[in-house]
Amino acid sequence: IRYELNNLCDLLTYQSERLADRVAYTFLVDGENEEQSITYKELARCARMTAAKLNRYIKPGDRILLVIPPGIDFIVGFFACLYARGIA
């Protein structure tokens, strides 16, 4: 099977299928030791769920301001904007 990867959403979807339980991102909360991680599968699922909510309020191409502190939630929000076809 060949996949056509045209954007970051395609790549995340592909990785969530192939590397589902591997860590996609790790955020060091204190800059050194305390960390939060998210797998490809969790990231894709959370981003798609958030995108579905965003789509109630935006149309493709709308700009979206992410007012989220650094961390896993920011990454989810960023990908949600992409899945919703908004501009983060």
Side-chain angles (χ1 to χ4, degrees):
I1 297 175
R2 281 189 69 109
Y3 288 88
E4 192 166 320
L5 306 176
N6 296 315
N7 55 50
L8 287 175
C9 291
D10 290 348
L11 179 59
L12 178 56
T13 300
Y14 175 74
Q15 295 293 60
S16 71
E17 293 169 1
R18 294 194 65 234
L19 306 171
D21 296 322
R22 291 197 49 197
V23 173
Y25 288 94
T26 299
F27 178 74
L28 299 176
V29 177
D30 64 0
E32 291 184 29
N33 301 314
E34 186 183 346
E35 58 184 50
Q36 297 174 326
S37 296
I38 190 165
T39 65
Y40 287 104
K41 183 179 179 179
E42 293 170 323
L43 177 56
R45 183 182 58 78
C46 291
R48 283 192 199 111
M49 286 176 35
T50 305
K53 293 175 186 175
L54 277 174
N55 280 326
R56 295 183 208 155
Y57 305 102
I58 70 160
K59 59 185 181 296
D62 279 356
R63 290 173 176 85
I64 303 166
L65 178 63
L66 295 172
V67 185
I68 306 169
I72 297 299
D73 290 339
F74 182 87
I75 296 168
V76 170
F78 177 77
F79 276 100
C81 290
L82 298 179
Y83 274 117
R85 296 181 305 178
I87 300 169

